[in-house]
Amino acid sequence: MDRPGQLCRRGVRVGAGTYVGPGCVILDDAQIGADCRLVAQVTICHGARIGRRGVFAPGVVIGADGFGHAPDRDGYVKIPQVGTVVIGDDVDVGANTTIDRGTIGDTVIEDGVKIDNLVMVAHNVRIGAHTVIAAMVGIAGSATIGRRCMLAWDRSGIVGHLSICDDVRVDGQDDGQPLDHESRRVFGKPAGRRGRAAFGATARASRSLTSWRGGCAGSEGGPAEQTKEGSDE
């Protein structure tokens, strides 16, 4: 039965001890486990399944249609999104984060995942247990993220249909290239080993420039004079 400021449709199941705050919408056949907290203005779309002890901040949307459109001669045709979202136990989801339903099959968030505000999780993504995702991260469709990973703040992105192994840290503004079991931390653009190699090259160039400047300030015959003589020739 609906409470003031809430909407619960047919077939909804809500576990004991779960709090459903003002303005929440729970659509047909959604299931929410025990001891969860839907703070306010949370939308749980049809058929979504949520485990126990989850916390969902204001504005969260679970199970909206994924972004699927096929081109035809007259524009685009919407692809039906017939999967759902399955969320495990002890998952926290921050304000205004969206987790889309699967196109075919489900979007899966495993136990203990913590997601910050303003994160976009696209259709058919799978996020491994106890992974932490900071604000403004985007994860494209059908990407797989391993367990105990950390996706840092500042617009990190995971490209669609790619996989990240367990225990990887992705720092700010990475583009989430495929990562193997030897690459445990990446950052920058491009990410992965190439990003780390680029960082190393930048550091070496900086040290060389510092050395060159030190030579310019030294005795006669230093790099500045040698460069001038070379140009006169």
Side-chain angles (χ1 to χ4, degrees):
M1 180 179 293
D2 297 344
R3 301 176 184 175
Q6 300 170 358
L7 174 63
C8 294
R9 293 285 181 86
R10 67 178 183 274
V12 168
R13 297 174 61 184
V14 178
T18 287
Y19 170 79
V20 180
C24 292
V25 175
I26 307 174
L27 298 182
D28 296 357
D29 301 316
Q31 300 177 26
I32 303 172
D35 299 314
C36 290
R37 183 175 178 84
L38 281 60
V39 178
Q41 301 288 338
V42 175
T43 299
I44 310 297
C45 295
H46 64 278
R49 302 196 299 273
I50 296 172
R52 299 168 295 172
R53 298 180 298 276
V55 178
F56 301 87
V60 166
V61 178
I62 306 295
D65 278 359
F67 189 69
H69 299 82
D72 70 358
R73 291 179 299 176
D74 298 321
Y76 289 89
V77 176
K78 182 175 174 59
I79 299 172
Q81 307 292 296
V82 299
T84 190
V85 176
V86 178
I87 297 177
D89 297 338
D90 302 302
V91 172
D92 293 357
V93 181
N96 295 317
T97 285
T98 60
I99 303 175
D100 287 351
R101 68 177 51 251
T103 304
I104 298 174
D106 300 329
T107 302
V108 178
I109 313 296
E110 294 184 1
D111 293 347
V113 171
K114 310 300 181 185
I115 303 177
D116 198 1
N117 305 333
L118 297 169
V119 172
M120 168 64 199
V121 180
H123 60 85
N124 296 99
V125 166
R126 187 179 191 98
I127 300 176
H130 307 294
T131 284
V132 177
I133 302 173
M136 298 184 68
V137 169
I139 305 173
S142 300
T144 299
I145 300 170
R147 298 180 176 183
R148 300 176 301 277
C149 292
M150 179 181 293
L151 276 59
W153 62 275
D154 196 12
R155 303 183 302 282
S156 297
I158 305 301
V159 180
H161 298 271
L162 298 182
S163 296
I164 293 178
C165 65
D166 296 346
D167 302 302
V168 168
R169 174 169 174 167
V170 180
D171 284 341
Q173 296 198 18
D174 283 351
D175 52 8
Q177 297 294 323
L179 303 178
D180 61 27
H181 289 273
E182 297 178 1
S183 302
R184 296 299 182 185
R185 181 172 180 176
V186 295
F187 53 89
K189 283 187 174 291
R193 290 178 175 176
R194 294 176 297 161
R196 291 189 288 182
F199 178 81
T202 301
R204 289 191 295 273
S206 177
R207 289 194 295 270
S208 298
L209 180 59
T210 300
S211 176
W212 184 84
R213 286 174 174 169
C216 289
S219 60
E220 184 176 352
E225 183 174 331
Q226 292 171 7
T227 303
K228 181 177 180 181
E229 290 175 355
S231 63
D232 290 339
E233 294 176 359

